[in-house]
């Protein structure tokens, strides 16, 4: 029989972040993951720490994202000091390009809505026309279809694989257990205690956190929660390495620290299929080349499809079961961006019920209507 | 460090490597022509920038990548020399970071 | 203008691809053959026509085994087959639309049936220092003789094992190259393992004789031959200068300009895995290969495989398996009856059986050197493109990687331009060894396009355009 204060199911970025945060608060934590290869969201994502455009229709989320972005600088420094792992985090500000007039006016009205909704009203994203945009990146001539871009000084990027490695290293230093060969099959609530079972073992814990991405749906039902999440495929292309060309990350184009360009990602409703498709690869390449003709000569060396974990409004879901108190579900798209909050704020909620203000907005109840 | 075996009946071909003229023979690969004329390496490794030279000679290892006539990333072990070809080493990503 | 659809599209114009084309065209199928080399011939007959025309001394040196390729090449060119040289296939879709790169632009064609005949590559040999200029494959040196009539100059050492090591050594010896030594890495237990298979091998004794002849050429040239060599280690600053190794327990060092490494050849499975064909692990020779029925059909409907890509068995078997695949294609597209197919197949099956008689012996004798299957020294580079070491791969297992793809995600191993061709088998060996599992359990890199890199411009322009031949 194995016991822990808390069992976290899921060793992606969210599960590891929570476990690390919980362990730092002194809890004894065990993480169980089934390591199903490299196309989970945490390994197959784009690596943006992204604020602009987030939170339309839910100002608390816009705020939450901004709060995370503001914490990133210190958070990444601490993580590097602790583990010796560099994660290539940079926050130079970021762009989302507009191709054609229509995209520009659409983006502009979205931005205005976000600004109107934003609490306090100091929303500092802005629209740049083509000329203003080019001034930021004089060394990268814009394609003729580019009409401009939205810009936010809060946006940044990092290497998500290095982030995951650093967090795992930090977690292991706390003494918490991480077992990557454990497919959790059931979670049962018995006398204020949870029995978490896989093919080999049973774990007993006072609390259980389901942070296993698309695997949440099935397990959550066993603790009385009906979680509306679905997979959405994103395909990403990676080019050969080249000399530094682009200082700023774009939502769809960024140059990594290694020198390669990441391009993407598509948004496809194709269930659990992680294949790549030629038409999407073509679209992504064509978008990149239309934005920066300079990229045409770069070789594509890799591509993949990874699955987003989306709630109906694509915003985070933080919820504790009412029928089985002590069972938590944590899932979010943009799980990279939110990492500092997941490490620093969510553990208090899980351990002591001490939640940040306005936290109830991230509850399941928002989908009841 | 390579040398030609026997005589070639092929036409003599002039190619340019890093701005210097090199004599080669019709029907030779660019990589072979360069290494027979004393060139010791073709590319820099992507991370350490250390010198690299062809390993497989059959299109597998990508250690022979060169810029040929303005086109980047050409597998020079698979490309035959042509008169007047302009060939350069590529700048490695590592040299710039 | 060229057709946009063919009864049969063949990728690879080696012995297997050419034979399949000849067979299929003989049954009135429309056939397209695509190959990245400038000339048809594959690895064994590479540039045979150019060599004969331009480099008579090399042509003579390469001998009958090479010159025989002319015959097959001639019958291939006499058919109605459409053949595109200098053409790289970079992606095949599940509906058998084949995307290829030719003269700098992408194009596509659709096949009723597809034959993957992409052959083999030399197994990479990751010893410490193998990335130094001056270190290359031994079969690679053979390729170089064929493609350009060029041989290494200065002091040469060959190290490793397998028939192609001896083939290259004997050819270089005949060319009067300055070979210091042939260092065999096989250990004596291999002889014991192979011995029981010798009687069967004697059924095809012409191959054994060929092997003995190659060895005697080397010995007659006065070249030192050592067996049971371990701890190979190449040293140098900007170029190879010294080779370290251990023989009979004693460490030795020699000055050397060229080191030719060889540990056999392995199937070229990039396309079959990108297509999603089922693969299996071949324990005796430590490689992955597609699972095939007796005609070479894969687990994917309409996709077959012929030649070394299915199982490494040499040119005569490759050629015969090409005929079998061609016959089966003709049957499935209603050009011949089942009986006609089966009758015609008998001749080729007999040939395969004869040639395969020696394989159990050779595969046991020349099983790859365990030191390169799981390189022990942490500092040895495994992934040449991303410069990932054996130690980093081991570390990824400590962090939780449970298979090769997991290790790839943690380390970037296999993410460079060669698409994992150079690191895959050794990286898998290390992951397996660290986990205490077999390489079969840790799997191989998931096949993803592009099989060979294309530029973004080429990809963006890869529309349904017509093909100009
Ligand atoms: C294409 C793409 C691009 C993205 N780009 C960005 C971006 O730029 N910025 C950003 O902030 N976010 C981005 N995201 C979103 C981000 O990647 C995710 O929000 C985040 O990775 C979610 O992490 P997770 O740990 O919840 O899920 P996952 O990464 O899916 O991890 C869940 C883990 O649980 C395991 N598991 C599942 N079921 C079980 C079970 N029953 N037992 C044991 N283990 C189990 C899985 O194997 C997996 O390891 C992107 C996502 C995608 C797909
Ligand atoms: C480097 C090397 C040298 C060898 N030398 C000899 C020798 O001298 N004597 C001997 O008996 N055996 C030799 N062999 C063994 C040899 O592989 C077989 O004897 C025989 O050539 C196998 O025939 P095949 O038709 O199956 O494949 P191959 O002859 O390998 O032909 C495969 C063809 O496919 C093409 N191809 C592969 N991928 C693509 C792609 N993506 N797009 C387009 N074209 C593609 C290649 O260019 C090649 O021409 C050698 C093997 C190797 C790897
Ligand atoms: S030498 Fe290996 S690809 Fe050219």
């Amino acid at each position: 029989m194995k016991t822990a204060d808390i069992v976290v199911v899921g060793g992606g970025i969210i599960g590891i972040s929570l476990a690390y945060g919980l362990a730092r608060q002194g809890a004894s934590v065990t993480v169980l993951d089934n390591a199903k290869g490299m196309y989970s969201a945490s390994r197959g994502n784009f690596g943006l720490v992204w604020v602009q455009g987030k939170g339309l229709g839910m100002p608390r989320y816009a705020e939450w994202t901004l709060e995370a972005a503001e914490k990133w600088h210190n958070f990444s420094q601490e993580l590097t000091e602790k583990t010796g792992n560099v994660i290539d985090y940079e926050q130079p500000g970021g762009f989302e390009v507009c191709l054609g007039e229509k995209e520009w006016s659409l983006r502009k009205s979205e931005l205005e809505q976000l600004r109107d909704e934003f609490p306090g009203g100091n929303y500092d994203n802005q629209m740049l026309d083509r000329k203003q945009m080019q001034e930021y990146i004089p060394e990268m001539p814009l394609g003729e279809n580019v009409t401009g871009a939205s810009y936010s000084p809060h946006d940044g990027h990092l290497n998500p694989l290095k982030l995951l490695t650093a967090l795992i290293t930090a977690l292991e230093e706390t003494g918490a257990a991480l077992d990557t060969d454990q497919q959790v099959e059931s979670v049962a609530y018995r006398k204020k205690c949870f029995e978490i079972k896989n093919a080999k073992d049973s774990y007993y814990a006072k609390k259980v956190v389901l942070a296993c991405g698309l695997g949440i749906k099935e397990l959550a039902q066993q603790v009385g929660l009906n979680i509306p999440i679905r997979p959405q495929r994103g395909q990403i292309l990676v080019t050969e390495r080249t000399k530094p060309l682009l200082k700023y990350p774009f939502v769809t184009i960024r140059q990594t620290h290694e020198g390669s360009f990441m391009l993407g990602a598509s948004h496809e409703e194709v269930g659990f299929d992680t294949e790549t498709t030629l038409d999407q690869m073509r679209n992504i390449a064509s978008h990149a080349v239309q934005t920066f003709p300079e990229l045409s000569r770069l070789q594509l060396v890799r591509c993949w499809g990874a699955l987003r974990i989306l709630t109906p409004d694509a915003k985070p879901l933080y919820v504790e079961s009412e029928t089985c108190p002590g069972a938590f579900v944590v899932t979010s798209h943009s799980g990279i961006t939110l990492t500092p909050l997941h490490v620093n704020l969510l553990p208090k909620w899980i351990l002591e019920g001490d939640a940040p203000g306005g936290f109830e907005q991230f509850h399941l109840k928002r989908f009841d209507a | 460090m390579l040398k030609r075996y026997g005589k070639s009946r092929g036409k003599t071909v002039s190619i340019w490597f890093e701005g210097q003229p090199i004599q080669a023979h019709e029907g030779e690969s660019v990589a072979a022509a360069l290494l027979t004329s004393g060139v010791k390496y073709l590319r820099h490794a992507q991370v350490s920038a250390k010198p690299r030279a062809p390993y497989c000679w059959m299109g597998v290892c990508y250690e022979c990548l060169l810029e040929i006539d303005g086109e980047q990333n050409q597998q020079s072990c698979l490309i035959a020399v042509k008169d007047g070809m302009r060939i350069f080493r590529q700048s490695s990503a590592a040299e710039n970071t | 203008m060229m057709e946009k659809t063919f009864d049969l599209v063949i990728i690879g114009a080696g012995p297997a691809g050419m034979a399949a084309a000849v067979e299929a065209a003989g049954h009135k199928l429309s056939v397209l053959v695509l190959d990245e080399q400038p000339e048809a011939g594959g690895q064994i007959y590479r540039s045979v026509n150019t060599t004969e025309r331009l480099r008579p001394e090399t042509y003579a040196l390469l001998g009958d085994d090479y010159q025989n390729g002319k015959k097959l090449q001639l019958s291939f060119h006499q058919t109605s087959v459409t053949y595109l040289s200098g053409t790289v296939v970079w992606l095949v879709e599940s509906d058998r639309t084949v995307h290829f790169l030719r003269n700098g632009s992408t194009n596509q064609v659709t096949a009723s049936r597809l034959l993957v005949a992409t052959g083999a590559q030399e197994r990479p040999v990751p010893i410490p220092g193998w990335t130094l200029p001056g270190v290359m494959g031994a079969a690679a040196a053979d390729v170089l003789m064929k493609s350009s009539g060029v041989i290494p100059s200065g002091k040469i050492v060959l190290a490793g094992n397998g028939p192609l090591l001896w083939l290259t050594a004997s050819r270089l010896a005949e060319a009067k190259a300055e070979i210091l030594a042939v260092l065999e890495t096989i250990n004596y237990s291999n002889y014991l393992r192979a011995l029981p298979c010798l009687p069967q091998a004697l059924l095809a004794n012409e191959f054994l004789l060929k092997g003995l002849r190659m060895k005697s050429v080397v010995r007659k040239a006065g070249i030192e031959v050592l067996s049971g060599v371990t701890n190979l280690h190449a040293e140098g600053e900007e170029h190879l200068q010294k080779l370290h190794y251990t023989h009979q327990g004693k460490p030795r060092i020699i000055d050397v300009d060229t080191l030719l490494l060889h540990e056999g050849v392995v199937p070229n499975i990039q396309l079959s895995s990108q297509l999603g064909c089922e693969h299996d692990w071949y324990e005796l020779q430590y490689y992955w290969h597609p699972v095939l029925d007796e005609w070479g059909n894969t687990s994917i409907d309409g996709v077959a495989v012929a030649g070394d890509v299915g199982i490494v068995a040499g040119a005569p078997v490759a050629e015969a398996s090409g005929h079998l695949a061609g016959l089966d294609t003709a049957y499935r597209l209603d050009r011949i009856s089942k009986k006609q197919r089966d009758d015609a197949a008998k001749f080729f099956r007999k040939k395969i059986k004869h040639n395969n008689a020696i394989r159990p012996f050779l595969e046991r004798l020349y099983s790859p050197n365990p030191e390169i299957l799981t390189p022990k020294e942490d500092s040895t580079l495994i992934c040449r493109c991303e410069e990932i070491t054996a130690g980093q791969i081991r570390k990824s297992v400590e962090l939780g990687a449970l298979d090769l793809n997991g290790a790839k995600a943690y380390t970037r191993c296999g993410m460079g331009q060669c698409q994992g061709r150079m690191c895959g088998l050794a990286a898998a060996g290390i992951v397996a060894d660290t986990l205490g599992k077999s390489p079969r359990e840790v799997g191989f890199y998931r096949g993803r396009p592009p099989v060979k890199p294309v530029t973004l411009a080429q990809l963006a322009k890869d529309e349904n355009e017509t093909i100009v031949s």
Side-chain angles (χ1 to χ4, degrees):
Chain A
M1 187 174 94
K2 297 181 177 172
T3 60
D5 293 346
I6 304 181
V7 164
V8 176
V9 184
I13 197 76
I14 293 186
I16 299 288
S17 297
L18 295 173
Y20 173 48
L22 288 162
R24 277 209 311 194
Q25 308 263 327
S28 91
V29 185
T30 295
V31 184
L32 304 177
D33 187 80
N34 61 8
K36 279 281 156 65
M38 63 184 293
Y39 303 104
S40 67
S42 300
R43 283 149 165 192
N45 69 77
F46 204 69
L48 297 173
V49 170
W50 213 248
V51 176
Q52 66 169 292
K54 299 268 179 74
L56 207 62
M58 194 208 252
R60 182 68 186 98
Y61 178 46
E63 242 181 5
W64 187 241
T65 305
L66 188 59
E67 196 180 333
E70 283 167 350
K71 296 228 157 78
W72 253 108
H73 178 74
N74 287 345
F75 179 78
S76 90
Q77 276 193 338
E78 274 172 38
L79 193 60
T80 300
E81 277 162 27
K82 223 179 215 80
T83 63
N85 291 26
V86 177
I87 60 169
D88 306 341
Y89 171 71
E90 277 179 59
Q91 189 193 27
F95 293 81
E96 181 164 359
V97 70
C98 305
L99 297 178
E101 293 300 334
K102 219 168 124 200
E103 263 187 40
W104 205 79
S105 43
L106 219 81
R107 181 81 43 75
K108 188 155 177 279
S109 64
E110 241 177 58
L111 211 80
E112 277 158 8
Q113 195 190 335
L114 273 162
R115 185 174 296 140
D116 291 344
E117 288 177 5
F118 196 74
N122 55 347
Y123 197 75
D124 53 3
N125 291 10
Q126 45 178 304
M127 292 302 292
L128 303 176
D129 65 25
R130 186 186 157 92
K131 191 160 154 283
Q132 292 168 314
M133 179 187 175
Q134 186 75 78
E135 279 164 13
Y136 277 86
I137 38 171
E139 61 286 349
M140 279 290 267
L142 295 169
E144 52 189 43
N145 272 345
V146 175
T147 44
S150 49
Y151 169 79
S152 157
H154 305 289
D155 293 336
H157 58 158
L158 52 72
N159 181 325
L161 298 177
K162 290 187 182 169
L163 170 64
L164 189 60
T165 306
L167 280 169
I168 291 175
T169 309
L171 173 70
E172 290 188 331
E173 279 170 15
T174 66
L178 164 64
D179 194 334
T180 56
D181 201 2
Q182 303 282 0
Q183 164 79 27
V184 172
E185 277 156 14
S186 70
V187 178
Y189 184 56
R190 308 216 160 87
K191 294 185 204 142
K192 300 198 172 167
C193 173
F194 292 90
E195 182 185 8
I196 298 109
K197 270 172 98 159
N198 59 47
K200 289 180 274 180
D201 298 304
S202 278
Y203 290 80
Y204 294 89
K206 288 181 214 125
K207 291 182 175 172
V208 61
V209 182
L210 301 180
C212 49
L214 293 165
I216 288 175
K217 208 171 168 140
E218 200 188 319
L219 295 178
Q221 270 164 0
Q222 303 171 19
V223 293
L225 290 170
N226 198 359
I227 302 296
I229 47 171
R230 68 170 200 284
Q232 183 192 61
R233 182 170 69 193
Q235 297 187 39
I236 290 178
L237 311 188
V238 181
T239 71
E240 61 174 304
R241 297 171 187 236
T242 185
K243 60 184 191 243
L245 291 171
L246 186 61
K247 279 200 297 268
Y248 301 92
F250 282 57
V251 189
T252 46
I253 303 171
R254 71 180 190 94
Q255 187 170 22
T256 67
H257 191 75
E258 286 85 19
S260 46
F261 273 82
M262 283 183 89
L263 314 170
S266 59
H267 297 260
E268 305 161 77
E269 304 295 335
V270 292
F272 286 83
D273 181 352
T274 57
E275 286 302 312
T276 51
T277 60
L278 187 60
D279 54 337
Q280 291 297 343
M281 289 167 62
R282 218 181 257 148
N283 287 346
I284 293 167
S286 152
H287 168 89
V289 169
Q290 279 187 60
T291 307
F292 298 118
E294 195 79 343
L295 300 181
S296 310
R297 67 180 172 80
L298 289 184
Q299 279 188 326
L300 165 72
V301 295
R302 261 182 307 137
C303 66
W304 66 79
L307 301 177
R308 295 185 187 85
I309 305 142
L310 289 189
T311 56
D313 60 7
K315 299 184 173 78
L317 188 62
Y318 305 135
V319 48
E320 180 176 2
S321 165
E322 278 168 13
T323 51
C324 310
F328 297 81
V329 164
V330 177
T331 183
S332 172
H333 182 53
S334 304
I336 303 300
T337 305
L338 298 175
T339 298
L341 305 184
H342 290 165
V343 170
N344 290 317
L345 300 184
L346 262 52
K348 287 201 194 95
W349 164 62
I350 293 167
L351 288 170
E352 296 147 26
D354 182 4
F359 198 70
E360 63 290 346
Q361 293 191 37
F362 298 117
H363 197 277
L364 196 56
K365 292 197 175 105
R366 68 181 192 268
F367 303 119
D368 284 351
Chain B
M1 296 231 274
L2 304 175
K3 63 179 182 194
R4 297 191 171 85
Y5 177 72
K7 276 187 276 303
S8 172
R9 288 189 195 148
K11 283 195 289 283
T12 312
V13 171
S14 297
I15 58 175
W16 295 82
F17 180 62
E18 303 272 294
Q20 300 295 315
I22 283 177
Q23 301 288 306
H25 296 290
E26 175 196 357
E28 289 172 354
S29 72
V30 171
L34 294 180
L35 268 79
T36 41
S37 57
V39 174
K40 290 227 167 98
Y41 71 95
L42 297 187
R43 76 179 305 206
H44 294 275
Q46 291 281 297
V47 182
S48 65
K50 291 205 172 123
R52 293 277 178 86
Y55 180 89
C56 76
W57 292 98
M58 60 170 283
V60 168
C61 72
Y62 289 77
E63 298 287 20
C64 62
L65 295 186
L66 289 170
E67 181 190 313
I68 301 179
D69 289 339
E71 294 288 321
Q72 296 267 320
N73 294 312
Q74 301 301 300
Q75 286 184 293
S76 65
C77 71
L78 298 178
I79 296 173
V81 289
K82 279 202 204 84
D83 214 21
M85 249 182 186
R86 304 213 164 232
I87 303 155
F88 292 94
R89 287 197 184 103
Q90 303 191 158
S91 61
S92 137
E95 291 170 297
N96 297 284
T97 42
Chain C
M1 288 294 232
M2 202 179 81
E3 298 296 325
K4 285 197 59 75
T5 60
F6 285 84
D7 292 332
L8 177 63
V9 172
I10 300 174
I11 306 169
M18 286 193 289
V22 168
E23 187 67 53
H27 298 291
K28 308 250 171 346
L29 296 173
S30 63
V31 182
L32 172 68
V33 179
L34 307 169
D35 193 296
E36 68 181 329
Q37 293 190 37
E39 193 180 306
Q43 300 309 342
I44 178 164
Y45 310 133
R46 181 181 283 267
S47 306
V48 61
N49 190 29
T50 308
T51 304
E52 183 188 31
R53 194 166 55 87
L54 300 179
R55 300 183 283 263
E57 283 136 293
T58 309
Y59 190 66
L61 174 72
L62 290 167
D64 284 351
D65 273 0
Y66 182 61
Q67 295 166 7
N68 283 342
K70 289 278 302 174
K71 255 186 283 165
L72 182 57
Q73 202 193 49
L74 203 68
S75 57
F76 172 64
H77 288 308
Q78 279 167 350
T79 61
S80 58
V81 168
T82 310
Y83 160 60
L84 298 183
S85 62
T87 302
V88 179
V89 175
W90 61 276
L91 173 131
V92 183
E93 292 180 273
S94 53
D95 67 354
R96 295 181 299 280
T97 300
V98 178
H99 295 258
F100 57 89
L101 202 65
R102 185 160 193 264
N103 297 330
S105 43
T106 49
N107 240 315
Q108 52 185 269
V109 66
T110 302
S112 302
R113 301 189 69 84
L114 183 72
L115 182 68
V116 178
T118 49
Q121 70 166 74
E122 197 169 14
R123 178 193 291 278
V125 184
I127 60 165
W130 72 308
T131 50
L132 282 168
V135 182
M136 57 194 215
D142 187 65
V143 169
L144 191 52
M145 274 183 254
K146 294 168 184 165
S147 64
S148 298
V150 161
I151 59 173
S153 63
K155 298 191 272 299
I156 306 164
V157 170
L158 292 102
N161 82 45
L164 291 179
L165 183 79
W166 287 102
L167 180 64
T168 302
S170 65
R171 282 175 174 165
L172 287 177
E174 283 176 338
K176 306 262 181 302
E178 191 189 342
I179 304 178
L180 300 184
V182 177
L183 308 177
E184 276 201 303
T185 54
I186 55 173
N187 70 41
Y188 299 101
S189 67
N190 286 13
Y191 287 100
L192 295 179
R193 274 220 297 166
L195 208 56
C197 305
L198 189 58
Q200 187 194 346
L202 288 169
L203 296 175
N205 64 358
E206 69 269 28
F207 298 108
L208 290 177
L209 292 175
K210 210 186 272 176
L212 293 174
R213 198 195 71 86
M214 295 188 301
K215 290 189 183 185
S216 98
V217 167
V218 170
R219 291 218 161 82
K220 279 205 190 113
I223 295 164
E224 182 176 33
V225 177
L226 301 179
S227 266
V229 167
T230 56
N231 295 325
L232 288 164
H233 174 170
E235 185 198 317
E237 284 294 319
E238 306 272 279
H239 195 277
L240 172 71
Q241 289 167 317
K242 288 180 195 319
L243 176 69
H244 301 250
Y245 63 93
T246 305
H247 183 243
Q248 295 182 338
K250 283 199 216 70
R252 297 228 234 155
I253 309 178
I254 37 175
D255 288 340
V256 55
D257 301 304
T258 301
L259 173 62
L260 304 178
L261 296 167
H262 184 77
E263 293 285 345
V265 304
V266 298
N268 222 332
I269 58 167
Q270 271 74 26
L271 269 171
S272 54
S273 30
Q274 187 258 301
L275 269 157
C277 300
E278 192 189 324
H279 287 70
D280 196 8
W281 176 250
Y282 189 55
E283 182 69 24
L284 211 51
Q285 280 284 308
Y286 274 77
Y287 60 60
W288 287 95
H289 66 114
V291 177
L292 308 177
D293 74 7
E294 54 174 348
W295 302 98
N297 293 303
T298 67
S299 62
I300 300 224
D301 199 32
V303 179
V305 152
D308 272 6
V309 65
I311 195 112
V312 176
V317 174
E319 198 179 321
S321 73
H323 281 284
L324 293 181
L327 283 169
D328 189 53
T329 310
Y331 159 67
R332 283 169 196 266
L333 295 177
D334 294 327
R335 299 302 201 281
I336 55 175
S337 70
K338 192 163 187 220
K339 176 152 188 333
Q340 283 170 314
R341 177 195 69 173
D342 294 349
D343 287 347
K346 281 182 192 140
F347 172 75
F348 300 109
R349 292 207 189 284
K350 216 168 128 192
K351 228 169 131 178
I352 291 176
K353 191 166 173 226
H354 175 75
N355 282 281
N356 273 345
I358 194 168
R359 270 186 45 215
F361 176 74
L362 284 185
E363 288 178 349
R364 282 171 181 77
L365 183 61
Y366 294 130
S367 75
N369 173 7
E371 282 181 20
I372 63 118
L373 295 176
T374 50
K376 288 285 176 291
E377 233 171 275
D378 273 347
S379 60
T380 306
L381 272 190
I382 302 300
C383 171
R384 298 173 67 110
C385 300
E386 294 289 325
E387 303 192 70
I388 307 300
T389 64
Q392 283 169 289
I393 295 169
R394 272 189 200 101
K395 171 90 188 158
S396 75
V397 174
E398 282 166 32
L399 285 167
L402 290 176
D403 56 20
L404 183 59
N405 285 313
K408 174 176 177 174
Y410 280 110
T411 60
R412 298 180 69 83
C413 190
M415 291 191 182
Q417 273 155 320
C418 89
Q419 315 288 318
R421 286 171 172 85
M422 297 301 286
C423 63
L425 285 167
I430 294 169
V431 173
D433 180 58
T434 315
L435 286 166
K437 292 185 180 174
S438 89
R440 185 198 298 274
E441 289 172 279
V442 305
F444 205 65
Y445 293 136
R446 175 160 173 182
R448 294 272 198 182
V451 164
K452 290 213 152 189
V454 289
T455 67
L456 293 180
Q458 288 161 344
L459 174 57
K461 278 205 221 93
D462 177 55
E463 305 287 349
N464 279 329
E465 283 161 14
T466 36
I467 298 166
V468 184
S469 74

